[in-house]
């Protein structure tokens, strides 16, 4: 077993003078040798603040250079970083800190956030800020200790808790996903097995996904460091700046959500010349709509392209190489045994070939989480007899592939008919006047739910009649046609670029009610 620290230290032994991390704001860069010293210095500083092995420490930080160092240093100390989305409101972040019984926090010097965390943590627990913060906090700079004070690294218990990552909470309160040390290898190595990433200093990764997300941390940061590569921090995703960074640094690996690729292709400075250095394109987090997938594949001809399906709990369950033309097709990942179970049935109750069911993933794989932090009832809901219930609808196809059709919870039931948003979205996405579309069910007295399309127009806004005509002329069954269209300037998304369906549903409901009134 290699832990995260093992992977960094082994890379440092192989390539001490190679650049490990580059900051996009300051251009600060650290060689692997320097990175190890920084990690030890911060780890020693955290120890001096009273933090130690086994302590769960909240990191509530945006994508900063310091964020990467803090995560690696807490881990080096034997503490457990609990990676909380910095976009949460102070009271929400504090709620997670309380729920997790955390021993300290590292955050931005934001007064409201620091106050909420201090009120929640036990008296005297350290709150460390990246920059000068309110009284009673310690700045990260002041918190560097003597790197030589750190005892040599000892390999921990493989089952021991290494990291707490949070579910996106698009449908409820985020849950703390406890990731053990033994999960690291599999969470990183699939990039080689399934996405064709070769070991070597040529790897230059643009950190598109946030560091607090499983993909941002294990595949972005660790996907660079474990492979002797260089991680280029992306503190905010600005497509124009990202295009410049790709060209300037000769980025070889782009791993983002479909929204990132949508943004890159729409950037005014996008050109084939600028992305010449890119060898590998990986996307995850959501299915990429067919038309976008075709455009991305055409923009990156000859590159290795992979669709990765995963969840924070099991990491990478399914994948599909060269997905163009098959946006919803998947295969089990190299460490994943999967099953399609009857919806509402037991995990032993398997759906037939071609029948829709819930995707179940073998939870005995090393990459699997230990459970949700202090939420045994939530763990019991998702884990049954060694299987993890994903909550995603899948169908087994004859050739061994699977089709994933979205979340069980997102399925719309209208007049007793089931409608999958993805099918309606895929149809509408082909309309030239639509930049983005999300289809959801809005409650309705007569039909139970009606199919509603939430549209972000691209260029001139098409009329509802035009979109309805477009659907009628398509292969979409009549009952699947949206009964209403609501136009939005932006589709609300969380920091990991997942659509905030609950927010969107409320907004759509409000817009439709005011239209009726
Ligand atoms: P999270 O744990 O926040 O990363 O969310 C995991 C969920 O995102 C999965 O259960 C799927 O619903 C969705 N998801 C992730 N990757 C993909 C993908 N490549 N295709 C379709 N859905 C995906």
């Amino acid at each position: 077993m290699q832990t995260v620290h093992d992977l960094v230290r082994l890379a440092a032994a192989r390539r001490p003078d190679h650049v490990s991390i580059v900051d996009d704001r300051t251009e600060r860069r650290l060689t692997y040798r320097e990175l190890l010293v920084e990690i030890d210095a911060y780890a020693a500083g955290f120890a001096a603040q009273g933090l130690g092995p086994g302590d769960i420490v909240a990191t509530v930080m945006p994508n900063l250079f310091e964020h990467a160092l803090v995560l690696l240093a807490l881990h080096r100390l034997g503490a457990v970083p609990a990676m909380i989305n910095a976009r949460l409101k102070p009271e929400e972040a504090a709620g997670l800190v309380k729920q997790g019984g955390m021993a300290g926090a590292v955050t931005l010097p934001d007064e409201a956030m620091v106050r909420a965390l201090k009120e929640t943590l036990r008296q005297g627990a350290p709150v460390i800020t990246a920059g000068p913060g309110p009284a009673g906090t310690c700045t990260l700079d002041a918190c560097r200790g003597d790197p030589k004070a750190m005892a040599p690294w000892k390999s921990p218990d493989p089952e021991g808790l290494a990291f707490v990552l949070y579910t996106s909470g698009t449908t409820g309160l985020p849950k703390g996903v406890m990731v053990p040390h033994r999960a690291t290898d599999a969470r990183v190595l699939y990039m080689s097995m399934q996405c064709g990433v070769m070991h070597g200093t040529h790897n230059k990764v643009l950190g598109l996904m946030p560091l607090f997300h499983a993909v941002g941390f294990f595949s972005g940061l660790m996907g660079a460091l474990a492979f002797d590569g260089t991680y280029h921090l992306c503190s905010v995703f600005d497509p124009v700046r990202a295009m410049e960074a790709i060209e300037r640094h000769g980025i070889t690996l782009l791993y983002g959500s479909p929204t990132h690729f949508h943004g890159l292709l729409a950037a005014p400075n996008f050109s084939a010349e600028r992305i010449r250095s890119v060898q590998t394109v990986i996307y995850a987090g959501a299915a990429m709509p067919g038309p976008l997938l075709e455009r991305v594949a055409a923009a990156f001809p000859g590159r290795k392209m992979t669709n990765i399906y995963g969840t924070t709990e099991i990491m990478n369950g399914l994948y599909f190489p060269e997905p163009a033309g098959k946006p919803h097709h998947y295969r089990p990942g190299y460490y994943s045994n999967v099953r399609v179970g009857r919806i509402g049935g037991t995990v032993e109750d398997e759906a037939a070939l071609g029948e829709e069911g819930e995707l179940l993933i073998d939870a005995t794989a090393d990459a699997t989480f230990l459970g949700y932090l202090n939420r045994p009832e939530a763990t019991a809901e998702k884990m049954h007899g060694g299987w993890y219930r994903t909550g995603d609808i899948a169908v087994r196809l004859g050739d061994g592939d699977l089709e994933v059709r979205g979340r069980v919870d997102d399925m719309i039931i209208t007049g007793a008919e089931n409608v999958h948003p993805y099918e309606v979205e895929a149809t509408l996405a082909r309309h030239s006047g639509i930049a983005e579309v999300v289809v959801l069910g809005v409650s309705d007295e007569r039909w139970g739910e009606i199919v509603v399309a939430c549209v972000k127009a691209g260029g001139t806004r098409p009329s509802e009649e035009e979109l309805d005509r477009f659907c009628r002329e398509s292969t979409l069954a009549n009952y699947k046609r949206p009964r209403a269209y609501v136009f939005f300037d932006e589709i609300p998304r969380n920091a990991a670029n997942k659509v905030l369906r609950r927010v969107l549903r409320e907004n759509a409901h409000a817009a439709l009610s005011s239209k009726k009134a």
Side-chain angles (χ1 to χ4, degrees), residues 168 213 284-287 307-313 330 390 392 407 498:
S168 40
H213 189 270
N307 175 8
I308 292 290
Y309 163 98
T311 78
T312 311
E313 292 87 342
Y330 298 83
T390 62
D392 289 308
R407 311 275 316 152
K498 279 196 200 299

Side-chain angles (χ1 to χ4, degrees), residues 28-248:
R28 184 180 170 201
R29 49 191 59 215
L30 293 175
T31 63
Y32 275 91
R33 193 197 308 272
E34 291 165 342
L35 175 64
L36 277 189
V37 172
E38 285 300 291
I39 290 172
D40 279 0
Y42 281 117
F46 294 149
Q49 289 291 315
L51 297 172
D55 283 342
I56 302 182
V57 181
T59 54
V60 195
M61 297 178 89
N63 255 26
L64 294 178
F65 192 74
E66 293 80 356
H67 189 174
L69 296 180
V70 166
L71 296 175
L72 297 174
L74 284 169
H75 167 74
R76 163 70 174 103
L77 181 62
V80 179
M83 294 131 98
I84 296 176
N85 182 350
R87 280 214 217 156
L88 290 184
K89 296 203 187 84
E91 57 275 22
E92 290 174 307
L96 296 181
V97 166
K98 183 168 183 197
Q99 193 273 339
M102 296 183 196
V106 187
T107 188
L108 289 183
D110 172 82
E111 220 163 280
M113 182 63 84
V114 168
R115 192 177 335 112
L117 293 173
K118 276 199 152 291
E119 281 169 11
T120 308
L121 289 162
R122 69 170 163 68
Q123 188 82 26
V127 175
I128 298 158
T129 52
T137 55
C138 172
T139 67
L140 259 180
D141 282 349
C143 182
R144 292 173 88 257
D146 177 5
K148 297 201 185 68
M150 289 303 293
W153 173 250
K154 273 217 315 259
S155 200
D157 173 8
E159 291 303 311
L161 179 57
F163 299 93
V164 176
L165 292 135
Y166 282 85
T167 59
S168 40
T170 47
T171 50
L173 203 69
K175 290 176 284 194
V177 175
M178 298 192 287
V179 180
H181 291 288
R182 52 121 161 110
T184 300
D185 274 336
R187 284 182 175 237
V188 176
L189 288 182
Y190 78 89
M191 305 233 319
S192 214
M193 318 289 198
Q194 286 164 212
C195 311
V197 178
M198 299 292 286
H199 206 256
T201 48
H202 65 281
N203 286 301
K204 295 191 170 72
V205 179
L206 188 63
L208 292 173
M209 297 290 269
L211 279 165
F212 68 78
H213 189 270
V215 168
F217 181 69
F218 286 109
S219 314
L221 179 63
M222 292 313 299
L225 301 184
F227 287 78
D228 291 355
T230 304
Y231 177 75
H232 290 267
L233 217 111
C234 196
S235 47
V236 279
F237 177 62
D238 170 346
V240 170
R241 281 176 51 194
M243 284 307 304
E244 286 166 4
I246 294 170
E247 184 179 32
R248 185 150 36 95

Side-chain angles (χ1 to χ4, degrees), residues 1 30 49 62 117 121 164 167 176 198 213 266 325 330 335 337 342 351 375 390 403 411 417 429 450 483 486 493:
M1 173 195 76
L30 293 175
Q49 289 291 315
L117 293 173
L121 289 162
V164 176
T167 59
M198 299 292 286
H213 189 270
Y330 298 83
Y335 60 75
N337 181 19
R342 287 227 158 84
R375 301 273 301 269
T390 62
E403 195 174 303
M411 193 163 73
E417 298 274 14
I450 52 163
R483 292 314 191 248
V486 186
R493 291 176 186 274

Side-chain angles (χ1 to χ4, degrees), residues 4-45:
V4 160
H5 191 67
D6 288 317
L7 294 176
V8 177
R9 132 190 120 71
L10 293 174
R14 285 187 298 263
R15 291 283 180 258
D17 297 318
H18 189 62
V19 176
S20 59
I21 308 187
V22 179
D23 188 8
D24 65 339
R25 293 175 315 148
T26 61
E27 295 289 329
R28 184 180 170 201
R29 49 191 59 215
L30 293 175
T31 63
Y32 275 91
R33 193 197 308 272
E34 291 165 342
L35 175 64
L36 277 189
V37 172
E38 285 300 291
I39 290 172
D40 279 0
Y42 281 117

